[in-house]
Amino acid sequence: MPTITVTSFDVPRHAISDRHRTPAHVTNLMDVLGCSEKNCGHIIMNHIVDSAHPENIALCQSADAAKQAAQHPQVKSAFIRDGSKYMQRGQTMTFYSGKPYGHARLGGDSRADMVHLQSQLAEKQVELEAANAQFKSAEATFQACFRAHKAAKQERSSAIQCKNEAQSQWSELLTQSQADLSVGQADEGDTDRELRELAQQLVEAQQEVMTAQAECDRAVRTEQEAFEAWESKRSEGSKLQDDNDCINNEIQAQELAVQDAKAQLHYYECHQHDTNQKLEALKSSLEESQKLLASNTQKAEQVCGRQEGDAALEAIKQKLMDRGVAEDVAEQQLSTEALTQALGKLRAKMTHQEKENGGKGEDILLKHAEVQSQCKEHKDRLQRLQNTYYLLRTACDKRMSDLHRIDRALEESVNARFNFYMYKKGHTGMIKVKRATEKTAGTLEIKVRIGGNEAKTGNVKDLKQLSGGEKSYTTVAFALALGEWTQSPFRAMDEFDVFMDAINRRVAMENLFSNSLEHPDLQFILLTPQDINAVEEAKKNLAARGTPLPEDYCKVVLMRSARE
């Protein structure tokens, strides 16, 4: 099935900011991707960006660069030259190998693919065992270094302890020699001897201190070397662990590929078994068909020879081609299968017709000629009726078209007239008629913009939002606009200026007088509970604008209250 993408050709090419791309020093797929199509290249690029996000796919030269790039939050995946990729999800770094695994495909040898996958799996298992052995060796080395580090720490502690003991003995000797000197010099010979002994002990103590210091320094160096070896082994162990994880991922992929290959091999074996059964059935059917063909050929030669039949067949084919039938179609119609099928249908139809009509073929042919004559008469009559229907249908369509055009023109005229009367008060208005359909009823929508400033007031679709005076003035304007197309000779309005202020009442009266002057053949009857000062003001304003009312043009009748 093809992939269908619905998009707009007016949308420009996506502008991707730097904060949504990979870092500046990392090349991404969007940098090297392009489209040579001039008319719809930006549409193709926008679809690729929306579906694959190539601006977040990094292209690196080495695995270390890919690992470093994959740690950036704007990098979705980092690819290297062999097709492998690194992906960072949280604290976990995942590696996907780009090496082909030789999946089974149409036209390939599934068994060979299976053997190839098993050999690759065996190689990966050998690599895994070698990596495990290296990891165990590194772990043993690490344990030995750790024990040496621990022993060096113990030696350092003992050396420091010896140093402290020697320093304490040296202090005691100094204190003792000063005490002996302060007693006096009673016996100078004994004192000299003791001093020499003390000096000898002091030299020995200093030698012990120096020895302890040398042992302490050696222990410190041993500890440092052991720590460095421990750090080296730990990094090697981490690297081996990463390699081990990569190998495990590859082994899992190989196992999945092996399972897929086994499933496909099983499917092909089952399909081969079914195909072999069908082949055996076709062979047996072919043998039976050959026997039947030999028998039919022998019977046909008894009726007509092969040469005569071929000549008749060529003559019929030539007649069909003379009638405009293509050569391949003629050959198909004259094939054995087509002729046999047509003959069988013809015989069955003849038998059925004879049974239904209760007669032989000659009687049926005579009746057929009579019915055909009647059918021709009915066809001529039908043709005349169709011509009459076509003329009526054309006239009806034209009248409906004229009616729709008149309807639209009427709507535009009423709308323009309504806006004209609203504009006299500084407002704007619009009338929108939604015609009735089979599913929805027709509606009349009136929009009014008070003051003509849409930014401040906006369009008013519901007249309930207007004030009383504005609503009354809008009603008068709508009635006058609609009255242009009303055929009644009388126009009557009752309490048309209710809730209007003096200005709205005066403008409404001016509109009514102007409309009555435009239609001198109509009679206007206006009823109002308000005073009639607006009538006089409207007369004066019309006279000032050059359209004075004739004498006795407007007759005012004051109706008294019934209570009076």
Side-chain angles (χ1 to χ4, degrees), residues 2-117:
T3 301
I4 300 175
T5 303
V6 180
T7 185
S8 175
F9 281 78
D10 296 331
V11 177
R13 182 169 179 175
H14 292 335
I16 304 173
S17 60
D18 294 338
R19 61 190 185 91
H20 292 120
R21 290 173 173 264
T22 58
H25 63 279
V26 178
T27 303
N28 57 61
L29 184 58
M30 192 67 181
D31 296 336
V32 300
L33 194 62
C35 182
S36 60
E37 179 66 29
K38 295 182 180 180
N39 296 326
C40 56
H42 63 289
I43 301 299
I44 298 173
M45 294 300 296
N46 289 346
H47 179 69
I48 294 174
V49 171
D50 294 337
S51 59
H53 298 286
E55 71 275 7
N56 301 126
I57 299 177
L59 304 177
C60 304
Q61 295 289 339
S62 62
D64 294 335
K67 287 182 180 179
Q68 186 177 2
Q71 297 176 0
H72 196 274
Q74 292 299 332
V75 176
K76 182 179 179 182
S77 57
F79 285 85
I80 55 180
R81 298 177 66 88
D82 62 350
S84 303
K85 69 175 179 179
Y86 289 86
M87 299 179 65
Q88 180 81 21
R89 294 294 181 271
Q91 300 296 329
T92 304
M93 176 73 71
T94 307
F95 172 75
Y96 296 93
S97 177
K99 298 179 181 179
Y101 297 115
H103 297 287
R105 57 190 181 276
L106 186 63
D109 190 356
S110 58
R111 290 187 175 86
D113 293 338
M114 185 72 178
V115 172
H116 178 65
L117 289 173

Side-chain angles (χ1 to χ4, degrees), residues 320-447:
L320 291 174
M321 293 176 65
D322 293 340
R323 294 178 182 177
V325 180
E327 183 178 359
D328 54 348
V329 177
E331 291 179 356
Q332 185 178 2
Q333 292 179 356
L334 296 176
S335 63
T336 304
E337 294 81 3
L339 293 174
T340 303
Q341 186 177 4
L343 180 61
K345 290 181 179 179
L346 183 61
R347 287 176 178 175
K349 187 175 181 179
M350 290 175 62
T351 303
H352 180 70
Q353 291 292 335
E354 288 179 354
K355 288 182 179 179
E356 283 187 351
N357 295 280
K360 296 183 179 180
E362 292 80 2
D363 299 334
I364 295 174
L365 288 175
L366 292 175
K367 189 180 292 185
H368 173 70
E370 183 180 356
V371 172
Q372 191 172 10
S373 176
Q374 295 177 0
C375 181
K376 184 178 180 181
E377 294 178 359
H378 288 304
K379 283 184 178 180
D380 295 338
R381 184 179 177 185
L382 177 62
Q383 184 65 36
R384 291 193 297 272
L385 291 175
Q386 286 179 347
N387 293 335
T388 304
Y389 170 77
Y390 175 74
L391 293 175
L392 293 175
R393 183 66 182 177
T394 304
C396 181
D397 292 340
K398 186 177 183 306
R399 292 197 176 194
M400 288 300 295
S401 177
D402 295 339
L403 179 61
H404 289 312
R405 187 170 62 254
I406 293 171
D407 185 24
R408 298 293 181 184
L410 177 61
E411 179 184 352
E412 293 176 358
S413 176
V414 173
N415 188 24
R417 200 71 178 175
F418 176 69
N419 189 41
F420 170 73
Y421 288 121
M422 293 298 295
Y423 185 75
K424 286 187 175 182
K425 189 61 179 63
H427 310 321
T428 58
M430 182 180 69
I431 297 174
K432 181 67 176 179
V433 180
K434 294 184 179 179
R435 275 74 181 176
T437 61
E438 295 180 357
K439 298 182 179 180
T440 60
T443 59
L444 174 63
E445 183 179 355
I446 299 178
K447 295 182 180 180

Side-chain angles (χ1 to χ4, degrees), residues 520-541:
D521 55 335
L522 300 179
Q523 180 68 45
F524 287 82
I525 302 173
L526 307 176
L527 303 178
T528 175
Q530 308 292 339
D531 54 19
I532 59 175
N533 293 330
V535 176
E536 299 300 329
E537 293 180 2
K539 289 181 178 180
K540 293 178 181 179
N541 290 337

Side-chain angles (χ1 to χ4, degrees), residues 175-186:
T175 304
Q176 184 178 0
S177 61
Q178 290 177 0
D180 291 339
L181 289 174
S182 60
V183 172
Q185 299 179 355

